[in-house]
Amino acid sequence: MVAADKLKKISEDVWEIPTDYKPGMNVPGHIFLSDRLIEGLESGAIDQTANVATLPGIQRYSMAMPDVHIGYGFPIGGVAAFDTETGVISPGGVGFDINCGVRLLRSELMADDVKPHKVDLINALYEAVPSGLGSESKFRVNDAQLAEVFRTGARWAVENGYGVKADLEHCEENGEMKGADPAKVSKKARDRGRPQLGTLGSGNHFLEIQKVEKIYDEAVAKAFGLKEGQVTVMIHCGSRGAGHQICTDYVKTMEQASRKYGIKLYDRQLACAPLSSPEAKDYFAAMAAGANYAWANRQIISHWVREAFSKYYKRDVRMDLVYDVAHNVAKFEEHEVDGVKKALCVHRKGATRAFAPGRSEVPVAYRDVGQPVIIPGSMGSASYVLAGTQRGMELTFGSTCHGAGRVMSRSAALKDIRGNEVKRQLLERGIVVKAPKDAAIAEEAPEVYKEIDEVIAVVDGLGISKKVARLVPIAVAKG
DNA sequence: ATGTAC
């Protein structure tokens, strides 16, 4: 394929974009792909990875995970870390769905016992959690409450009866990113966010009842509380209209800031500001608020999932949170660069933090085995639980992939694929899908995504995170 | 991803 010809294979599954690929690159690009996956690599994704390398203060490499595809400015699947003194922050490096992410609940139930009830259970979940484009929540928060949600995230939800304290210990950032400032969130973003807290959204967002099909690492799986045959529930959603509006607002701010600070942009969508500037500080405070909204959202949804299971079984069904990860966020972290520890602003857009054993950010319960990494597959395919590694700290600033990665656009999928047909095929495989309309199923059909097993094989093979468990769907509720 | 528009 033509796209791959521009890249230099420097080791197994590591492809370099040399700095002479295009003018202005400060560092090379690194794309992690198998020989098979590289055949489907979009040349636009290479260009975007190279464009990110032109931004001021970028450290080591502009990186793309094996699920990379074209996004707004930065590629989805992109990881870029910036020096806090010379670097920048960019809304395009976080994405429109701020803290789109995923969490995994482990249940005490076994798949063989749950399967006969899957239709009733998925209907119950579908009823319990509003979903779809523009969907509104079953409850309302006022302005003061919304400000607390922006400031304290999942903690607001737990303190108001949605979940237990232990949930917070098992969330990235404890579900509460520091530095969030509701005053930096526009009225428009607040107005969009207020009625949507406690909703799933649409697109690739879903609620899924799963079975732990295979364990790859018994010791780590045990630490994560996972065993074969067990039922888990995965929740994939983000910050809804609130995060989207925050991004929209700050893209405009950053376009002005880029001019003001004389940053040469090779693509307008890379709009950014120096990390030391007031514009950067405002964006970070608003982005953190958006991230907290998403954590509160997943926390509230978790509570409704627990309620639905307990109501169905007419007893208290225990469902502990394994972990909750962000897929779209920028964070300040300490990393070693050329043997020196440095404070960096790490942008992960369609990428997951995957911290090694020993890092203080990893919850005490998992500190010896590494951070749990939750990777959702496409509808009808497997999902994975991995663990962060030291190799990942060295190669990717402690990052790994976030999912399968699209290969077909939504519009193309709608044209070529019939949702009810996909639904029928999944049912033949024993997987029940519940969605507001068939078109939503067509857009997310398994064939519009890369093979998740192949993507996971790359990150596991490179050692930037390691496989712990494979989960397969029993029933899916989609937005 | 997203009230598929400034």
Side-chain angles (χ1 to χ4, degrees):
Chain A
M1 166 110 192
V2 189
D5 292 344
K6 305 169 185 171
L7 303 175
K8 194 171 94 192
K9 187 172 181 175
I10 58 171
S11 59
E12 195 59 29
D13 295 351
V14 183
W15 300 80
E16 183 164 277
I17 311 172
T19 47
D20 61 7
Y21 176 79
K22 62 161 60 189
M25 285 175 70
N26 295 315
V27 294
H30 270 185
I31 304 185
F32 305 103
L33 287 167
S34 61
D35 289 357
R36 213 181 105 202
L37 283 172
I38 205 158
E39 288 175 27
L41 178 63
E42 305 152 306
S43 64
I46 303 176
D47 287 336
Q48 289 190 326
T49 307
N51 287 341
V52 172
T54 68
L55 292 172
I58 185 164
Q59 301 291 296
R60 299 187 65 195
Y61 311 104
S62 168
M63 289 179 283
M65 299 298 131
D67 48 343
V68 64
H69 57 111
I70 294 174
Y72 179 90
F74 288 54
I76 295 161
V79 175
F82 297 87
D83 182 281
T84 46
E85 283 169 23
T86 60
V88 294
I89 191 168
S90 172
V94 171
F96 276 80
D97 191 2
I98 295 165
N99 191 6
C100 174
V102 59
R103 63 165 52 189
L104 185 70
L105 300 167
R106 56 176 184 238
S107 81
E108 58 184 21
L109 305 167
M110 296 302 281
D112 290 343
D113 302 326
V114 163
K115 276 182 181 168
H117 307 279
K118 63 189 172 190
V119 174
D120 288 339
L121 279 167
I122 204 66
N123 284 342
L125 293 187
Y126 189 81
E127 290 303 315
V129 183
S131 67
L133 192 63
S135 54
E136 296 202 341
S137 185
K138 298 185 287 187
F139 77 114
R140 284 294 180 277
V141 286
N142 61 32
D143 278 315
Q145 290 168 318
L146 184 66
E148 281 305 290
V149 168
F150 282 138
R151 221 168 50 74
T152 65
R155 181 156 65 89
W156 180 87
V158 169
E159 286 175 354
N160 284 273
Y162 297 89
V164 294
K165 270 221 166 76
D167 294 341
L168 304 179
E169 290 158 26
H170 290 178
C171 264
E172 190 170 331
E173 299 287 309
N174 298 316
E176 178 183 5
M177 201 166 186
K178 300 295 180 198
D181 184 357
K184 301 299 179 188
V185 178
S186 70
K187 180 178 186 303
K188 203 170 176 185
R190 297 198 304 272
D191 287 344
R192 288 180 69 175
R194 210 177 292 105
Q196 293 186 326
L197 188 64
T199 62
L200 196 64
S202 66
N204 64 355
H205 291 166
F206 64 77
L207 273 173
E208 191 168 274
I209 304 170
Q210 309 168 322
K211 169 191 169 179
V212 179
E213 182 214 44
K214 190 172 166 55
I215 297 287
Y216 301 95
D217 187 320
E218 287 289 347
V220 180
K222 196 172 176 215
F224 293 171
L226 298 173
K227 61 180 180 188
E228 279 179 16
Q230 181 182 15
V231 167
T232 57
V233 172
M234 187 173 275
I235 300 168
H236 182 198
C237 64
S239 52
R240 309 287 283 108
H244 191 274
Q245 190 62 46
I246 290 167
C247 183
T248 302
D249 293 338
Y250 281 92
V251 161
K252 281 181 209 136
T253 304
M254 293 304 194
E255 281 175 355
Q256 289 168 10
S258 301
R259 284 195 293 275
K260 178 176 162 189
Y261 298 106
I263 299 168
K264 182 169 166 54
L265 297 180
Y266 289 82
D267 175 352
R268 258 188 80 174
Q269 296 181 350
L270 296 173
C272 59
L275 279 159
S276 54
S277 69
E279 290 88 345
K281 290 177 172 30
D282 288 354
Y283 169 66
F284 184 83
M287 181 213 68
N292 286 340
Y293 180 100
W295 271 310
N297 197 25
R298 291 197 285 277
Q299 184 63 42
I300 292 163
I301 290 172
S302 304
H303 178 72
W304 288 334
V305 166
R306 288 165 170 159
E307 270 188 352
F309 269 82
S310 292
K311 192 174 161 199
Y312 183 82
Y313 283 100
K314 299 187 174 63
R315 62 182 170 87
D316 189 22
V317 177
R318 187 161 172 187
M319 302 183 92
D320 292 334
L321 179 57
V322 177
Y323 203 60
D324 177 311
V325 293
H327 286 165
N328 283 3
V329 83
K331 309 216 296 198
F332 292 99
E333 297 169 358
E334 189 176 78
H335 289 278
E336 205 168 286
V337 181
D338 302 327
V340 182
K341 278 189 181 157
K342 286 179 80 168
L344 304 178
C345 180
V346 183
H347 293 58
R348 296 190 183 90
K349 179 192 193 178
T352 316
R353 194 188 70 177
F355 273 6
R359 283 286 298 220
S360 63
E361 294 92 337
V362 180
V364 176
Y366 308 139
R367 189 134 333 142
D368 291 343
V369 295
Q371 181 211 305
V373 176
I374 320 285
I375 310 287
S378 55
M379 184 180 58
S381 73
S383 297
Y384 280 85
V385 178
L386 297 90
T389 62
Q390 189 53 39
R391 186 84 180 125
M393 303 312 298
E394 291 154 13
L395 277 186
T396 56
F397 300 113
S399 312
T400 192
C401 64
H402 86 305
R406 287 192 90 87
V407 288
M408 194 191 289
S409 70
R410 292 183 185 285
S411 52
L414 283 174
K415 210 153 62 84
D416 294 356
I417 299 166
R418 292 197 23 201
N420 57 0
E421 180 61 15
V422 175
K423 194 171 171 179
R424 196 185 58 75
Q425 285 170 359
L426 288 170
L427 196 58
E428 270 176 13
R429 290 170 42 210
I431 304 164
V432 182
V433 181
K434 182 95 180 152
K437 48 186 175 187
D438 284 349
I441 299 176
E443 284 184 15
E444 297 298 319
E447 56 265 43
V448 313
Y449 283 91
K450 295 181 197 181
E451 191 77 54
I452 185 77
D453 304 282
E454 179 88 13
V455 169
I456 296 295
V458 173
V459 298
D460 181 71
L462 281 166
I464 58 174
S465 49
K466 63 174 180 182
K467 286 198 287 194
V468 175
R470 187 175 193 265
L471 318 172
V472 292
I474 294 171
V476 193
K478 294 196 23 53

